[in-house]
Every structure is written in C-alpha cells, then in structure tokens.
Amino acid sequence: MKIRSCVLITLALLMGSLVLAACTPAAPAEPCAFTANESLTVYRLPDSASDVFGTISTGETFEVLARTAEGWVGFDPGIAQAGNIGLAHHRWVLLNATISPSCLSSVDLVTLADVQADLAASGQ
C-alpha cells in the first residue's frame, strides 16, 4: 500500500507539473499612448477655462492615464510637482482629430469633479 501511495502521489505531481508547464502567463497589455501630430496646449484640469500648464511639441508621446467623457486625456507630464499625486498630478489635453488613440476604452474614465477632489486633497 505504501508503494502504491508513493506512485500515485508521484504521478499526481508529474501531471500537475505538465499542466503548469503548458500554462504561459498572458503578455502585459500595451499602454494606451498618444502622439501629438501638432503642438498642443496642456491644461492643469480637464477644462479649457483652467490654467494652461504648457504645450506639447509635435511628435511627443505620452501614456494616457485617465480620460473624461468630454474628450480630455490625462497624462503624467514627467515633471515633479510637490504634493500632487493621483489625478492631481495629471495634465490634460483635449482629444481631437490630431490625437485619437483607439485604446481609450481601456483607460479609467474620470470627471472634472474627481480631479478637483484630488487637487483639494493634496492642498492645491
């Protein structure tokens, strides 16, 4: 009986190893990014009435980290901003015919109120 138990355990372990060896982890999803086809105005908030942060030059590419239903995309500008984290750290461009990545459905949908709440929480 002891030998039979050992054989069964060994077979079970071998079968489990074969099953696991056949499994391959899924490739990580490509990040959603946009490239400016022309110079774009960058805003502090997803609102054209907000402060202008700067501009993006033609050819610059950024990962889209958030989006709004109104067509704004938020990204990390790559500049340190003391105390700004989360949505408060994002800067925003209005999505238009110049930049139209098809991957936006995979990006978090937020509102202007969400961004303002993060700004208030960071003391801005």
Coordinates of all heavy atoms in Angstrom, one line a residue, residues 6-112:
C6 N 2.9 6.2 -2.9 CA 4.0 6.9 -3.4 C 3.9 7.1 -4.9 O 4.2 8.2 -5.4 CB 5.3 6.3 -3.0 SG 5.8 6.5 -1.3
V7 N 3.5 6.0 -5.6 CA 3.4 6.1 -7.0 C 2.3 7.0 -7.4 O 2.5 7.8 -8.4 CB 3.2 4.7 -7.6 CG1 2.8 4.7 -9.1 CG2 4.4 3.8 -7.4
L8 N 1.2 7.0 -6.7 CA 0.1 7.8 -7.1 C 0.4 9.3 -6.8 O 0.1 10.2 -7.6 CB -1.2 7.4 -6.3 CG -1.9 6.1 -6.7 CD1 -3.0 5.8 -5.7 CD2 -2.4 6.3 -8.1
I9 N 1.1 9.6 -5.7 CA 1.5 11.0 -5.4 C 2.5 11.5 -6.5 O 2.4 12.6 -6.9 CB 2.1 11.0 -4.0 CG1 1.0 10.8 -3.0 CG2 2.8 12.4 -3.7 CD1 1.5 10.7 -1.5
T10 N 3.4 10.6 -6.8 CA 4.4 11.0 -7.9 C 3.7 11.3 -9.2 O 4.0 12.3 -9.8 CB 5.5 9.9 -8.0 OG1 6.1 9.6 -6.8 CG2 6.5 10.3 -9.0
L11 N 2.8 10.4 -9.6 CA 2.1 10.6 -10.8 C 1.2 11.9 -10.8 O 1.2 12.7 -11.7 CB 1.1 9.5 -11.1 CG 1.8 8.2 -11.6 CD1 0.8 7.1 -11.7 CD2 2.5 8.5 -13.0
A12 N 0.6 12.2 -9.6 CA -0.2 13.4 -9.5 C 0.7 14.7 -9.6 O 0.4 15.6 -10.2 CB -0.9 13.4 -8.1
L13 N 1.9 14.6 -9.0 CA 2.8 15.7 -9.1 C 3.3 15.9 -10.5 O 3.5 17.0 -11.0 CB 4.0 15.5 -8.1 CG 3.7 15.6 -6.6 CD1 4.9 15.2 -5.8 CD2 3.3 17.0 -6.3
L14 N 3.6 14.8 -11.2 CA 4.1 14.9 -12.6 C 3.0 15.5 -13.5 O 3.3 16.4 -14.3 CB 4.5 13.6 -13.1 CG 5.9 13.0 -12.6 CD1 6.1 11.6 -13.1 CD2 7.0 13.9 -13.1
M15 N 1.7 15.1 -13.3 CA 0.7 15.6 -14.1 C 0.4 17.1 -13.8 O 0.2 17.9 -14.7 CB -0.6 14.8 -13.8 CG -0.6 13.4 -14.4 SD -2.1 12.4 -14.1 CE -3.3 13.4 -15.0
G16 N 0.5 17.4 -12.5 CA 0.4 18.9 -12.2 C 1.5 19.7 -12.8 O 1.2 20.8 -13.3
S17 N 2.7 19.2 -12.8 CA 3.8 19.9 -13.4 C 3.6 20.1 -14.9 O 3.9 21.1 -15.5 CB 5.1 19.1 -13.2 OG 5.4 19.1 -11.8
L18 N 3.1 19.1 -15.6 CA 2.9 19.2 -17.0 C 1.8 20.2 -17.3 O 1.9 21.0 -18.3 CB 2.4 17.8 -17.6 CG 3.5 16.7 -17.6 CD1 3.0 15.4 -18.0 CD2 4.6 17.2 -18.6
V19 N 0.7 20.2 -16.5 CA -0.3 21.2 -16.7 C 0.2 22.6 -16.5 O -0.1 23.5 -17.3 CB -1.5 20.9 -15.7 CG1 -2.5 22.1 -15.7 CG2 -2.2 19.6 -16.1
L20 N 1.0 22.8 -15.4 CA 1.5 24.1 -15.2 C 2.5 24.5 -16.2 O 2.6 25.7 -16.6 CB 2.2 24.2 -13.8 CG 1.2 24.1 -12.6 CD1 2.0 24.1 -11.3 CD2 0.3 25.3 -12.6
A21 N 3.3 23.6 -16.8 CA 4.3 23.9 -17.8 C 3.6 24.4 -19.1 O 4.1 25.2 -19.9 CB 5.2 22.7 -18.1
A22 N 2.4 23.9 -19.3 CA 1.7 24.3 -20.5 C 1.0 25.6 -20.4 O 0.7 26.3 -21.4 CB 0.6 23.2 -20.8
C23 N 0.9 26.2 -19.2 CA 0.3 27.5 -19.0 C 1.4 28.5 -19.1 O 2.5 28.4 -18.6 CB -0.3 27.6 -17.6 SG -1.6 26.5 -17.3
T24 N 1.1 29.5 -19.9 CA 2.0 30.7 -20.1 C 1.3 31.9 -19.7 O 0.1 32.1 -20.0 CB 2.5 30.8 -21.5 OG1 1.4 30.9 -22.4 CG2 3.4 29.6 -22.0
P25 N 2.0 32.8 -18.9 CA 1.3 34.0 -18.4 C 1.0 34.9 -19.6 O 1.7 34.9 -20.6 CB 2.3 34.6 -17.5 CG 3.6 34.0 -17.8 CD 3.3 32.6 -18.4
A26 N -0.1 35.6 -19.5 CA -0.5 36.5 -20.6 C 0.5 37.6 -20.7 O 1.0 38.1 -19.7 CB -1.9 37.0 -20.3
A27 N 0.7 38.1 -21.9 CA 1.6 39.2 -22.1 C 0.9 40.5 -21.5 O -0.3 40.6 -21.6 CB 1.9 39.4 -23.6
P28 N 1.7 41.4 -20.9 CA 1.1 42.6 -20.3 C 0.5 43.4 -21.4 O 1.1 43.5 -22.6 CB 2.3 43.3 -19.7 CG 3.5 42.6 -20.2 CD 3.2 41.3 -20.7
A29 N -0.6 44.1 -21.1 CA -1.2 44.9 -22.1 C -0.3 46.1 -22.5 O 0.3 46.7 -21.6 CB -2.6 45.4 -21.6
E30 N -0.4 46.5 -23.7 CA 0.3 47.7 -24.2 C -0.3 48.9 -23.6 O -1.5 49.0 -23.5 CB 0.3 47.8 -25.7 CG 1.2 46.8 -26.4 CD 2.6 47.1 -26.3 OE1 3.0 48.3 -26.3 OE2 3.4 46.1 -26.1
P31 N 0.5 49.8 -23.1 CA -0.1 51.0 -22.5 C -0.8 51.9 -23.6 O -0.4 51.8 -24.8 CB 1.0 51.8 -21.9 CG 2.3 51.2 -22.5 CD 1.9 49.8 -23.0
C32 N -1.8 52.6 -23.3 CA -2.5 53.5 -24.2 C -1.7 54.7 -24.3 O -1.4 55.3 -23.2 CB -3.9 53.7 -23.7 SG -4.9 54.7 -24.8
A33 N -1.3 55.2 -25.4 CA -0.5 56.4 -25.6 C -1.0 57.2 -26.7 O -1.7 56.7 -27.6 CB 1.0 56.0 -25.8
F34 N -0.6 58.5 -26.7 CA -0.9 59.4 -27.8 C 0.3 60.1 -28.2 O 1.2 60.3 -27.4 CB -2.1 60.4 -27.4 CG -1.6 61.4 -26.4 CD1 -1.1 62.7 -26.9 CD2 -1.8 61.3 -25.1 CE1 -0.8 63.6 -26.0 CE2 -1.4 62.2 -24.2 CZ -0.9 63.4 -24.6
T35 N 0.4 60.5 -29.5 CA 1.5 61.2 -30.0 C 0.9 62.5 -30.6 O -0.1 62.4 -31.4 CB 2.3 60.5 -31.1 OG1 2.8 59.3 -30.5 CG2 3.4 61.3 -31.6
A36 N 1.4 63.6 -30.3 CA 0.9 64.9 -30.8 C 1.4 65.0 -32.3 O 2.6 65.0 -32.6 CB 1.5 66.1 -30.0
N37 N 0.4 65.2 -33.1 CA 0.7 65.4 -34.6 C 1.0 66.9 -34.8 O 1.4 67.3 -35.9 CB -0.4 64.9 -35.4 CG -0.5 63.4 -35.4 OD1 0.5 62.7 -35.2 ND2 -1.7 62.9 -35.4
E38 N 0.6 67.8 -33.9 CA 0.9 69.2 -33.9 C 1.0 69.7 -32.5 O 0.7 69.0 -31.6 CB -0.2 69.9 -34.7 CG -1.5 69.9 -34.0 CD -2.7 70.5 -34.7 OE1 -2.7 70.4 -36.0 OE2 -3.5 71.2 -34.1
S39 N 1.5 70.9 -32.3 CA 1.7 71.4 -31.0 C 0.3 71.5 -30.3 O -0.6 71.9 -30.9 CB 2.3 72.8 -31.1 OG 2.5 73.3 -29.8
L40 N 0.3 71.0 -29.0 CA -1.0 71.0 -28.3 C -0.9 71.8 -27.0 O 0.2 71.7 -26.3 CB -1.4 69.6 -27.9 CG -1.6 68.7 -29.1 CD1 -1.8 67.2 -28.7 CD2 -2.9 69.1 -29.9
T41 N -1.9 72.5 -26.6 CA -2.0 73.2 -25.3 C -2.3 72.2 -24.2 O -3.2 71.3 -24.4 CB -3.1 74.3 -25.3 OG1 -2.7 75.2 -26.4 CG2 -3.1 75.0 -24.0
V42 N -1.6 72.2 -23.1 CA -1.8 71.4 -22.0 C -2.4 72.2 -20.8 O -1.9 73.2 -20.5 CB -0.4 70.7 -21.5 CG1 -0.6 69.8 -20.3 CG2 0.2 70.0 -22.7
Y43 N -3.4 71.6 -20.2 CA -4.1 72.3 -19.2 C -3.9 71.6 -17.8 O -3.7 70.4 -17.8 CB -5.6 72.4 -19.5 CG -5.9 73.3 -20.7 CD1 -6.0 72.7 -22.0 CD2 -6.2 74.6 -20.6 CE1 -6.2 73.5 -23.1 CE2 -6.5 75.4 -21.7 CZ -6.5 74.8 -22.9 OH -6.7 75.6 -24.0
R44 N -4.1 72.4 -16.8 CA -3.9 71.9 -15.4 C -5.1 70.9 -15.1 O -5.0 70.0 -14.4 CB -3.9 73.0 -14.4 CG -3.6 72.5 -13.0 CD -3.2 73.7 -12.1 NE -2.9 73.3 -10.8 CZ -3.5 73.6 -9.7 NH1 -4.5 74.5 -9.8 NH2 -3.1 73.1 -8.5
L45 N -6.3 71.3 -15.6 CA -7.5 70.5 -15.3 C -8.1 70.1 -16.7 O -7.8 70.8 -17.7 CB -8.5 71.3 -14.5 CG -8.1 71.8 -13.2 CD1 -9.2 72.7 -12.6 CD2 -7.9 70.6 -12.2
P46 N -9.0 69.1 -16.7 CA -9.7 68.8 -18.0 C -10.8 69.8 -18.3 O -12.0 69.5 -18.3 CB -10.2 67.4 -17.7 CG -10.4 67.3 -16.3 CD -9.3 68.2 -15.7
D47 N -10.4 71.1 -18.5 CA -11.3 72.2 -18.7 C -10.5 73.3 -19.3 O -9.5 73.8 -18.8 CB -11.9 72.6 -17.3 CG -12.9 73.8 -17.4 OD1 -13.0 74.3 -18.5 OD2 -13.5 74.1 -16.3
S48 N -11.0 73.8 -20.5 CA -10.3 74.8 -21.2 C -10.3 76.1 -20.5 O -9.5 77.0 -20.9 CB -10.8 75.0 -22.7 OG -12.2 75.2 -22.6
A49 N -11.1 76.3 -19.5 CA -11.1 77.5 -18.7 C -10.0 77.4 -17.5 O -9.8 78.4 -16.9 CB -12.4 77.8 -18.1
S50 N -9.4 76.3 -17.4 CA -8.4 76.2 -16.3 C -7.0 76.8 -16.7 O -6.9 77.1 -17.9 CB -8.2 74.7 -15.9 OG -7.4 74.0 -16.9
D51 N -6.1 76.8 -15.8 CA -4.8 77.3 -16.1 C -4.1 76.5 -17.2 O -4.2 75.3 -17.2 CB -3.9 77.3 -14.8 CG -4.4 78.3 -13.8 OD1 -5.1 79.2 -14.1 OD2 -4.1 78.0 -12.6
V52 N -3.3 77.2 -18.0 CA -2.5 76.5 -19.0 C -1.3 76.0 -18.3 O -0.6 76.8 -17.7 CB -2.2 77.4 -20.2 CG1 -1.2 76.8 -21.2 CG2 -3.5 77.7 -21.0
F53 N -0.9 74.8 -18.5 CA 0.3 74.2 -17.9 C 1.5 74.4 -18.8 O 2.6 74.6 -18.4 CB 0.1 72.7 -17.6 CG 1.3 72.0 -17.0 CD1 1.6 72.2 -15.7 CD2 2.0 71.2 -17.8 CE1 2.7 71.6 -15.1 CE2 3.1 70.5 -17.2 CZ 3.4 70.7 -15.9
G54 N 1.2 74.3 -20.1 CA 2.3 74.4 -21.1 C 1.9 73.9 -22.5 O 0.7 73.9 -22.8
T55 N 2.8 73.4 -23.2 CA 2.5 72.9 -24.6 C 3.2 71.6 -24.8 O 4.3 71.3 -24.1 CB 2.8 73.8 -25.7 OG1 4.2 74.1 -25.6 CG2 2.0 75.1 -25.7
I56 N 2.7 70.7 -25.6 CA 3.4 69.5 -26.1 C 3.8 69.8 -27.5 O 3.0 70.3 -28.3 CB 2.4 68.3 -26.1 CG1 2.0 68.0 -24.6 CG2 3.0 67.1 -26.7 CD1 1.0 66.8 -24.6
S57 N 5.0 69.5 -27.8 CA 5.6 69.7 -29.1 C 5.2 68.6 -30.0 O 4.9 67.4 -29.6 CB 7.1 69.8 -29.1 OG 7.5 70.8 -28.3
T58 N 5.1 68.8 -31.3 CA 4.9 67.8 -32.3 C 5.8 66.6 -32.1 O 7.0 66.8 -32.0 CB 5.1 68.4 -33.7 OG1 4.2 69.6 -33.8 CG2 4.7 67.4 -34.8
G59 N 5.2 65.5 -32.2 CA 6.0 64.2 -32.1 C 6.2 63.7 -30.7 O 6.6 62.5 -30.5
E60 N 5.8 64.5 -29.7 CA 6.0 64.0 -28.3 C 4.9 62.9 -28.0 O 3.7 63.1 -28.5 CB 5.9 65.1 -27.3 CG 7.1 65.9 -27.2 CD 7.0 66.9 -26.0 OE1 7.4 66.5 -24.9 OE2 6.6 68.0 -26.2
T61 N 5.2 61.9 -27.3 CA 4.3 60.8 -27.0 C 4.2 60.6 -25.4 O 5.2 60.7 -24.7 CB 4.8 59.4 -27.6 OG1 4.9 59.6 -29.0 CG2 3.9 58.3 -27.2
F62 N 3.0 60.4 -25.0 CA 2.7 60.3 -23.5 C 1.7 59.1 -23.4 O 0.9 58.9 -24.2 CB 2.1 61.5 -22.9 CG 3.1 62.7 -22.9 CD1 3.1 63.6 -23.9 CD2 4.0 62.8 -21.8 CE1 4.0 64.7 -23.9 CE2 4.9 63.9 -21.8 CZ 4.9 64.8 -22.8
E63 N 1.8 58.4 -22.2 CA 0.9 57.4 -21.9 C -0.4 58.1 -21.3 O -0.3 58.9 -20.5 CB 1.4 56.5 -20.8 CG 0.5 55.3 -20.4 CD 1.1 54.4 -19.4 OE1 2.3 54.5 -19.1 OE2 0.3 53.5 -18.9
V64 N -1.6 57.6 -21.8 CA -2.8 58.1 -21.3 C -3.2 57.4 -20.0 O -3.2 56.2 -20.0 CB -4.0 57.9 -22.3 CG1 -5.3 58.4 -21.8 CG2 -3.6 58.6 -23.7
L65 N -3.3 58.2 -18.9 CA -3.6 57.6 -17.6 C -5.0 57.7 -17.2 O -5.5 57.0 -16.3 CB -2.7 58.2 -16.6 CG -1.2 58.1 -16.9 CD1 -0.4 58.9 -15.9 CD2 -0.8 56.6 -16.9
A66 N -5.8 58.7 -17.8 CA -7.2 58.9 -17.4 C -7.8 59.6 -18.6 O -7.1 60.1 -19.5 CB -7.3 59.7 -16.2
R67 N -9.2 59.6 -18.6 CA -9.9 60.3 -19.7 C -11.2 60.7 -19.1 O -11.7 60.2 -18.1 CB -10.1 59.3 -20.9 CG -11.0 58.2 -20.5 CD -11.2 57.2 -21.7 NE -11.9 56.0 -21.3 CZ -13.2 55.8 -21.5 NH1 -13.9 56.7 -22.2 NH2 -13.8 54.7 -21.1
T68 N -11.8 61.7 -19.8 CA -13.1 62.2 -19.4 C -14.1 61.9 -20.6 O -13.7 61.7 -21.7 CB -13.1 63.7 -19.1 OG1 -13.0 64.4 -20.3 CG2 -12.1 64.1 -18.1
A69 N -15.4 61.9 -20.2 CA -16.4 61.7 -21.3 C -16.4 62.9 -22.3 O -16.9 62.7 -23.4 CB -17.8 61.5 -20.6
E70 N -15.9 64.0 -21.9 CA -15.9 65.2 -22.7 C -14.7 65.2 -23.7 O -14.6 66.1 -24.5 CB -15.8 66.5 -21.9 CG -17.1 66.7 -21.0 CD -17.1 65.8 -19.8 OE1 -16.0 65.5 -19.3 OE2 -18.2 65.5 -19.3
G71 N -13.9 64.2 -23.7 CA -12.8 64.0 -24.7 C -11.4 64.5 -24.2 O -10.5 64.6 -25.0
W72 N -11.2 64.7 -22.9 CA -9.9 65.1 -22.4 C -9.1 63.8 -22.0 O -9.7 62.8 -21.6 CB -10.1 65.9 -21.1 CG -10.6 67.3 -21.4 CD1 -12.0 67.6 -21.4 CD2 -9.9 68.5 -21.6 NE1 -12.1 69.0 -21.6 CE2 -10.9 69.5 -21.8 CE3 -8.6 68.8 -21.7 CZ2 -10.5 70.8 -22.1 CZ3 -8.2 70.1 -22.0 CH2 -9.2 71.1 -22.2
V73 N -7.8 63.9 -22.2 CA -7.0 62.8 -21.8 C -5.9 63.3 -20.8 O -5.4 64.4 -21.0 CB -6.3 62.0 -23.0 CG1 -7.3 61.3 -23.8 CG2 -5.5 62.9 -23.8
G74 N -5.8 62.6 -19.7 CA -4.8 63.0 -18.7 C -3.6 62.1 -18.8 O -3.6 60.9 -19.1
F75 N -2.4 62.8 -18.5 CA -1.1 62.1 -18.6 C -0.2 62.6 -17.6 O -0.4 63.7 -17.0 CB -0.5 62.2 -20.1 CG -0.2 63.6 -20.4 CD1 1.1 64.1 -20.3 CD2 -1.2 64.5 -20.9 CE1 1.4 65.5 -20.6 CE2 -0.9 65.8 -21.2 CZ 0.4 66.3 -21.1
D76 N 0.9 61.9 -17.4 CA 2.0 62.4 -16.5 C 2.9 63.2 -17.3 O 3.5 62.7 -18.2 CB 2.7 61.2 -15.9 CG 3.8 61.5 -14.9 OD1 4.3 62.7 -14.9 OD2 4.3 60.6 -14.2
P77 N 3.1 64.5 -17.0 CA 4.0 65.3 -17.8 C 5.5 65.1 -17.6 O 6.3 65.6 -18.3 CB 3.6 66.7 -17.4 CG 3.2 66.6 -16.0 CD 2.5 65.2 -15.9
G78 N 5.8 64.2 -16.6 CA 7.2 63.9 -16.4 C 7.9 65.0 -15.6 O 9.2 65.1 -15.7
I79 N 7.2 65.9 -14.9 CA 7.8 67.0 -14.2 C 7.3 66.8 -12.7 O 6.1 66.6 -12.5 CB 7.3 68.3 -14.7 CG1 7.8 68.5 -16.1 CG2 7.7 69.5 -13.8 CD1 7.2 69.7 -16.9
A80 N 8.3 66.9 -11.8 CA 8.0 66.8 -10.4 C 7.0 67.9 -10.0 O 7.2 69.0 -10.4 CB 9.2 66.8 -9.5
Q81 N 6.0 67.5 -9.2 CA 5.0 68.5 -8.7 C 4.8 68.2 -7.2 O 4.0 67.3 -6.9 CB 3.7 68.4 -9.5 CG 3.8 68.5 -11.0 CD 2.5 68.1 -11.7 OE1 1.5 68.5 -11.3 NE2 2.7 67.3 -12.7
A82 N 5.4 69.0 -6.4 CA 5.4 68.7 -5.0 C 3.9 68.6 -4.5 O 3.1 69.4 -4.7 CB 6.0 69.9 -4.2
G83 N 3.7 67.5 -3.8 CA 2.4 67.2 -3.2 C 1.3 66.7 -4.1 O 0.3 66.2 -3.7
N84 N 1.5 66.8 -5.4 CA 0.5 66.3 -6.4 C 0.6 64.9 -6.7 O 1.7 64.4 -7.1 CB 0.6 67.1 -7.7 CG 0.0 68.5 -7.6 OD1 -0.7 68.8 -6.7 ND2 0.3 69.3 -8.6
I85 N -0.4 64.1 -6.3 CA -0.4 62.7 -6.6 C -1.7 62.3 -7.3 O -2.7 63.1 -7.2 CB -0.2 61.8 -5.3 CG1 -1.3 62.1 -4.3 CG2 1.2 62.0 -4.8 CD1 -1.3 61.2 -3.1
G86 N -1.8 61.2 -7.9 CA -3.1 60.7 -8.5 C -3.5 61.6 -9.6 O -2.7 62.1 -10.4
L87 N -4.8 61.9 -9.6 CA -5.3 62.8 -10.7 C -4.8 64.2 -10.6 O -4.7 64.9 -11.6 CB -6.9 62.8 -10.6 CG -7.6 61.5 -10.9 CD1 -9.1 61.6 -10.6 CD2 -7.3 61.0 -12.3
A88 N -4.4 64.6 -9.4 CA -3.9 66.0 -9.2 C -2.5 66.1 -9.9 O -2.1 67.2 -10.3 CB -3.7 66.3 -7.7
H89 N -1.8 65.0 -10.2 CA -0.5 65.1 -10.9 C -0.7 65.1 -12.4 O 0.2 65.5 -13.1 CB 0.3 63.9 -10.5 CG 1.7 63.9 -11.1 ND1 2.7 64.7 -10.6 CD2 2.2 63.1 -12.1 CE1 3.8 64.5 -11.3 NE2 3.5 63.5 -12.2
H90 N -1.9 64.6 -12.9 CA -2.1 64.5 -14.4 C -2.2 65.9 -15.0 O -2.6 66.9 -14.3 CB -3.4 63.8 -14.7 CG -3.4 62.3 -14.3 ND1 -2.4 61.7 -13.7 CD2 -4.3 61.4 -14.5 CE1 -2.7 60.4 -13.5 NE2 -3.9 60.2 -14.0
R91 N -1.8 66.0 -16.2 CA -2.1 67.2 -17.0 C -2.9 66.8 -18.2 O -3.0 65.6 -18.5 CB -0.8 67.9 -17.4 CG 0.0 68.5 -16.3 CD -0.9 69.5 -15.5 NE -0.3 70.0 -14.3 CZ -0.7 69.7 -13.1 NH1 -1.8 68.9 -12.9 NH2 -0.1 70.2 -12.0
W92 N -3.6 67.7 -18.8 CA -4.7 67.3 -19.7 C -4.7 68.0 -21.0 O -4.3 69.2 -21.2 CB -6.1 67.7 -19.0 CG -6.2 67.0 -17.7 CD1 -5.8 67.4 -16.5 CD2 -6.9 65.8 -17.5 NE1 -6.1 66.5 -15.5 CE2 -6.7 65.5 -16.1 CE3 -7.5 64.9 -18.3 CZ2 -7.3 64.3 -15.5 CZ3 -8.0 63.7 -17.7 CH2 -7.9 63.5 -16.3
V93 N -5.0 67.3 -22.1 CA -5.1 67.8 -23.4 C -6.5 67.3 -23.9 O -7.0 66.3 -23.6 CB -4.0 67.3 -24.4 CG1 -2.7 67.9 -24.0 CG2 -4.0 65.8 -24.5
L94 N -7.1 68.1 -24.8 CA -8.4 67.8 -25.4 C -8.2 66.9 -26.6 O -7.4 67.2 -27.5 CB -9.2 69.0 -25.8 CG -10.6 68.8 -26.2 CD1 -11.4 68.1 -25.2 CD2 -11.2 70.2 -26.6
L95 N -8.8 65.7 -26.5 CA -8.7 64.8 -27.6 C -9.4 65.3 -28.8 O -10.6 65.7 -28.7 CB -9.2 63.4 -27.2 CG -9.1 62.3 -28.2 CD1 -7.7 61.9 -28.4 CD2 -9.9 61.1 -27.7
N96 N -8.8 65.3 -29.9 CA -9.5 65.8 -31.1 C -8.9 65.0 -32.3 O -8.3 64.0 -32.1 CB -9.2 67.3 -31.3 CG -7.8 67.7 -31.3 OD1 -6.9 66.9 -31.8 ND2 -7.4 68.8 -30.8
A97 N -9.1 65.5 -33.5 CA -8.7 64.8 -34.7 C -7.2 64.6 -34.8 O -6.7 63.8 -35.4 CB -9.2 65.5 -36.0
T98 N -6.5 65.5 -34.0 CA -5.0 65.4 -34.0 C -4.5 64.2 -33.3 O -3.5 63.6 -33.7 CB -4.4 66.6 -33.4 OG1 -5.3 67.7 -33.4 CG2 -3.1 67.1 -34.0
I99 N -5.1 63.9 -32.2 CA -4.7 62.7 -31.4 C -5.9 61.9 -31.2 O -6.9 62.3 -30.6 CB -4.1 63.1 -30.1 CG1 -5.0 64.1 -29.3 CG2 -2.7 63.7 -30.3 CD1 -4.5 64.4 -27.9
S100 N -5.9 60.7 -31.7 CA -7.1 59.8 -31.5 C -6.7 58.3 -31.3 O -6.9 57.5 -32.2 CB -8.0 60.0 -32.7 OG -7.3 59.7 -33.9
P101 N -6.1 58.0 -30.1 CA -5.8 56.6 -29.9 C -7.0 55.8 -29.8 O -8.0 56.2 -29.2 CB -5.0 56.7 -28.6 CG -5.4 57.9 -27.9 CD -5.8 58.9 -29.0
S102 N -7.0 54.6 -30.3 CA -8.2 53.7 -30.2 C -8.2 52.9 -28.9 O -9.2 52.2 -28.7 CB -8.1 52.7 -31.4 OG -6.9 52.0 -31.4
C103 N -7.2 53.0 -28.1 CA -7.1 52.2 -26.9 C -7.8 52.9 -25.7 O -7.8 52.4 -24.6 CB -5.7 52.0 -26.5 SG -4.8 53.6 -26.3
L104 N -8.5 54.0 -25.9 CA -9.1 54.8 -24.7 C -10.1 54.0 -23.9 O -10.2 54.3 -22.7 CB -9.7 56.1 -25.2 CG -8.7 57.2 -25.6 CD1 -9.4 58.4 -26.2 CD2 -7.8 57.5 -24.5
S105 N -10.7 53.0 -24.5 CA -11.7 52.3 -23.7 C -11.1 51.5 -22.6 O -11.8 51.2 -21.6 CB -12.5 51.3 -24.6 OG -11.6 50.4 -25.2
S106 N -9.8 51.3 -22.6 CA -9.1 50.6 -21.5 C -8.6 51.5 -20.4 O -8.1 51.1 -19.4 CB -7.9 49.8 -22.1 OG -6.9 50.6 -22.6
V107 N -8.8 52.8 -20.6 CA -8.3 53.8 -19.7 C -9.4 54.2 -18.7 O -10.6 54.4 -19.1 CB -7.8 55.0 -20.4 CG1 -7.3 56.1 -19.5 CG2 -6.6 54.6 -21.4
D108 N -9.1 54.5 -17.4 CA -10.1 54.9 -16.5 C -10.8 56.2 -16.9 O -10.2 57.2 -17.3 CB -9.4 55.2 -15.1 CG -9.0 53.9 -14.4 OD1 -9.5 52.8 -14.8 OD2 -8.1 54.0 -13.5
L109 N -12.1 56.2 -16.7 CA -13.0 57.3 -17.0 C -13.2 58.1 -15.7 O -13.6 57.5 -14.7 CB -14.3 56.9 -17.6 CG -15.3 57.9 -18.1 CD1 -14.7 58.7 -19.3 CD2 -16.6 57.3 -18.5
V110 N -12.8 59.4 -15.7 CA -13.0 60.2 -14.6 C -13.8 61.5 -14.9 O -14.0 61.8 -16.1 CB -11.6 60.6 -14.0 CG1 -10.8 59.4 -13.6 CG2 -10.8 61.5 -15.0
T111 N -14.1 62.3 -13.9 CA -14.8 63.6 -14.1 C -13.9 64.7 -13.7 O -12.9 64.5 -12.9 CB -16.1 63.6 -13.4 OG1 -15.8 63.6 -12.0 CG2 -17.0 62.4 -13.8
L112 N -14.3 65.9 -14.1 CA -13.6 67.1 -13.6 C -13.7 67.2 -12.1 O -12.7 67.5 -11.4 CB -14.2 68.4 -14.2 CG -13.7 69.7 -13.7 CD1 -12.2 69.8 -13.9 CD2 -14.4 70.9 -14.4

